[in-house]
Amino acid sequence: MLIPVVIIGVISLILGIGLGIASKKLHVFINPKISEILRVLPNANCGACGYPGCSSFARAVAEGNASASGCIPGGPKVAHAVADILGVSAGTSEPMMAVVHCKGGTKEAASRAIYNGIQDCYAASIVGNGSKVCQDGCLGLGTCVKVCPFGAIQISPNGVAVVDADKCTGCGKCIKACPRKIISLIPVVHKIYLACANHDRGAKVKKYCSVGCTACTLCVKATSSGAISMENNLPVLDYTKTENFIPAANKCPSDCFVDLVSVRPKANIDTKCDGCGACVPFCPVPGTITGEKGLRHTVNKEKCIGCGLCLDKCPTHAISVWGAGSSMKTRQSGQRKG
Amino acid sequence: MGNIAGLIGISIGAVLINNFVLSRFIGLCPFFGVSKKLSSATGMGMAVIFVMGLASSFTWLINSFILQPYHVEYLQTIVFILVIAALVQLVEMALQKYSPSLYEALGIYLPLITTNCAVLGVAIINTGLNQFTGAPFTFIESVVNGIMSGIGFMFALILMAGIREKLELADVPELLDGLPIVFITAGLMALAFLGFSGLNFFS
């Protein structure tokens, strides 16, 4: 009875020690991110990402050859988890969302023909560059809808593609898919963008689109820090300059801007304020909260974008938000979700 | 000379007459799994040859110097599995270190050699009688048998891979597309290999 036990025990011991030494000697460094990414992937090996399986996709992501949001069945949750592992969304990089720079639907923008071909923007743009008079308008045939892995884009009843801010992860697939090149990424915090991509002169634009940019430059004048500049008859918004675009949007005579927040709340500082100034550095729009140290501070209602970042920074709970209602809550949660 | 003739007999027997895959029907999992591409079939075949050769020598030594003297031959299955598993681990580590491209190509099939019945099969056959000499396998004979069985395995694998690469382009009925047509092909190949059982030089 003892002999077989000893034999097996000794053989296993020798093999075990041998393997232990070999694994040290033959150790190969593998990027630890690959296994980490593999852990958060669904591991369905469906191949929807274009790679043979989850492990090769994980390797491609870790090596920077694939986008973090490439896993389609995983959806935004997995995309965020992968991005977290890669450190993409961490630190200074801002959450982005896609926006369609056009709001001229069938009501606003004139058509010059009826398109009855294949229901695809590429196909339509091959046939005489689409049915709209505007050569930069959204064709509304949903090529971007088809490529969106998160179901964040819809064609509005008006015939223009609209991005759902809550679902969009900023993966940028639609940007590549759009034959008109009128989709771009904006920081999620701003939620305000110019919904026109037409470079024609004002008089010409007015003839075929009621919401087209006429290059009047009123928005440029409404901003102080040069965050909006005119380029080829179209204002260009520079989101890197922390600027409040609301006054500019309100000035637009053609209503070209889209503000994704229906009611912009305003912060208000009440008498409990002891003038500590703790809230000032957290305000993304410089010069919104002003006041002398030790005295009650005030909010410049023109500049406040109602982001609510100052709310919980006040040690005396003197800051509240007016005119917000439920939209304030959705805005804040949307912001954090990014 | 008789020794060399015996070794040639063992070789022909292992590669053609008693081909592991097509006559003994052992080790079918990698035969179907890794036979899609000629390059990975070659790599897999090489790994199997290497593991079979090593496993044959090690298991023969363990069998004749440890198991038989102590009359514990009944332990051979578990001991052989132990040795083979350790060997495969070693080969896997060595491949990952020195030939990452081959490691990539073999993928999940390399650990499969661990439980590949063909490797265990050759080790167990080596403990029996040599059908050409009627005596137990000598050390040299068992190593040759192991390597040649591996070559026979690789031979079948490469034949299959060549056929499957052509099959990709063929117009296969939808219901038979994929694995079913491969099963049928394997059956036809086994039928063809049945012809080799008529080869009988040495008896």
Side-chain angles (χ1 to χ4, degrees):
Chain A
M1 183 59 212
L2 195 65
I3 292 172
V5 175
V6 171
I7 287 175
I8 294 211
V10 170
I11 291 176
S12 330
L13 192 70
I14 293 170
L15 291 174
I17 292 172
L19 275 184
I21 294 169
S23 72
K24 274 265 177 290
K25 279 252 159 89
L26 300 172
H27 180 72
V28 181
F29 175 77
I30 303 167
N31 193 343
K33 274 180 188 164
I34 295 176
S35 58
E36 261 180 71
I37 293 169
L38 198 54
R39 214 172 301 139
V40 297
L41 290 177
N43 281 310
N45 291 321
C46 65
C49 51
Y51 290 88
C54 291
S55 61
S56 36
F57 172 68
R59 195 173 310 121
V61 172
E63 284 163 5
N65 296 331
S67 149
S69 53
C71 180
I72 293 159
K77 226 173 140 187
V78 168
H80 285 305
V82 172
D84 278 346
I85 291 167
L86 294 173
V88 174
S89 59
T92 49
S93 87
E94 252 190 301
M96 305 289 272
M97 66 169 285
V99 291
V100 182
H101 295 286
C102 178
K103 67 194 283 193
T106 41
K107 271 181 240 146
E108 296 90 358
S111 295
R112 52 179 177 155
I114 296 167
Y115 177 72
N116 274 329
I118 306 163
Q119 293 298 300
D120 179 88
C121 299
Y122 268 102
S125 62
I126 287 168
V127 188
N129 211 9
S131 56
K132 271 186 180 167
V133 183
C134 174
Q135 295 295 293
D136 298 292
C138 176
L139 294 167
L141 294 172
T143 297
C144 51
V145 177
K146 280 174 223 148
V147 299
C148 181
F150 306 104
I153 310 180
Q154 276 187 326
I155 301 295
S156 70
N158 202 14
V160 175
V162 178
V163 181
D164 183 339
D166 286 333
K167 287 184 185 164
C168 180
T169 60
C171 70
K173 278 201 163 177
C174 48
I175 298 174
K176 287 188 199 118
C178 180
R180 297 283 211 185
K181 303 290 164 218
I182 55 169
I183 307 182
S184 75
L185 292 179
I186 65 160
V188 172
V189 209
H190 278 279
K191 295 206 169 171
I192 196 163
Y193 63 95
L194 181 73
C196 183
N198 190 299
H199 290 292
D200 282 342
R201 288 188 172 279
K204 216 172 156 190
V205 175
K206 270 277 162 252
K207 280 183 192 153
Y208 54 72
C209 185
S210 61
V211 289
C213 171
T214 55
C216 65
T217 72
L218 278 177
C219 54
V220 178
K221 285 161 196 154
T223 52
S224 49
S225 60
I228 301 183
S229 57
M230 294 301 288
E231 242 172 63
N232 203 0
N233 292 329
L234 198 66
V236 177
L237 279 64
D238 187 353
Y239 291 99
T240 55
K241 292 176 182 158
T242 46
E243 172 72 31
N244 180 357
F245 289 109
I246 298 165
N250 292 340
K251 281 269 157 49
C252 183
S254 314
D255 194 22
C256 286
F257 283 85
V258 169
D259 189 347
L260 293 169
V261 183
S262 46
V263 183
R264 284 272 178 179
K266 302 288 175 197
N268 183 62
I269 302 179
D270 62 27
T271 49
K272 273 184 282 187
C273 177
D274 60 1
C276 67
C279 52
V280 177
F282 293 98
C283 181
V285 188
T288 305
I289 307 177
T290 49
E292 276 177 53
K293 201 156 177 70
L295 295 171
R296 180 183 164 190
H297 283 44
T298 50
V299 177
N300 184 338
K301 297 281 189 292
E302 284 286 297
K303 285 186 170 178
C304 178
I305 58 170
C307 63
L309 288 173
C310 52
L311 277 180
D312 52 351
K313 300 292 180 299
C314 181
T316 56
H317 307 288
I319 307 178
S320 55
V321 170
W322 285 1
S326 57
S327 72
M328 182 66 207
K329 265 181 207 149
T330 50
R331 181 171 164 71
Q332 269 186 297
S333 63
Q335 217 174 347
R336 242 178 263 124
K337 215 177 90 200
Chain B
M1 278 308 280
N3 194 14
I4 292 185
L7 292 183
I8 293 172
I10 289 174
S11 307
I12 293 174
V15 176
L16 297 176
I17 302 170
N18 287 322
N19 186 290
F20 256 90
V21 180
L22 297 171
S23 298
R24 289 193 205 266
F25 308 113
I26 300 177
L28 292 176
C29 172
F31 178 62
F32 291 112
V34 204
S35 58
K36 256 191 190 140
K37 268 168 62 190
L38 209 52
S39 54
S40 56
T42 317
M44 180 72 180
M46 288 298 195
V48 170
I49 291 172
F50 185 64
V51 173
M52 273 189 170
L54 268 180
S56 295
S57 55
F58 273 83
T59 52
W60 189 89
L61 289 173
I62 287 170
N63 190 49
S64 6
F65 292 113
I66 301 173
L67 300 186
Q68 273 173 357
Y70 291 102
H71 303 291
V72 283
E73 287 96 338
Y74 61 87
L75 284 180
Q76 59 179 212
T77 307
I78 188 166
V79 171
F80 289 178
I81 283 285
L82 211 61
V83 173
I84 293 164
L87 274 176
V88 172
Q89 285 276 301
L90 198 70
V91 172
E92 199 183 345
M93 282 189 253
L95 271 186
Q96 198 175 10
K97 176 94 177 172
Y98 300 114
S99 177
S101 55
L102 188 57
Y103 180 77
E104 292 275 289
L106 295 182
I108 59 162
Y109 295 105
L110 202 60
L112 266 182
I113 306 182
T114 317
T115 50
N116 187 349
C117 42
V119 181
L120 181 66
V122 79
I124 302 240
I125 286 168
N126 285 340
T127 64
L129 292 180
N130 185 343
Q131 66 178 106
F132 298 104
T133 58
F137 277 87
T138 63
F139 181 70
I140 301 288
E141 279 172 356
S142 69
V143 173
V144 168
N145 190 29
I147 291 174
M148 283 304 163
S149 297
I151 289 177
F153 184 87
M154 181 173 166
F155 181 53
L157 209 59
I158 286 177
L159 284 180
M160 191 55 160
I163 293 173
R164 279 184 84 170
E165 282 192 354
K166 292 270 186 293
L167 217 54
E168 289 285 305
L169 306 171
D171 187 19
V172 180
E174 205 176 319
L175 283 171
L176 292 177
D177 207 7
L179 215 48
I181 192 75
V182 179
F183 280 159
I184 293 172
T185 312
L188 291 174
M189 285 168 75
L191 218 55
F193 263 69
L194 201 65
F196 286 117
S197 62
L199 278 178
N200 219 343
F201 305 126
F202 299 100
S203 62

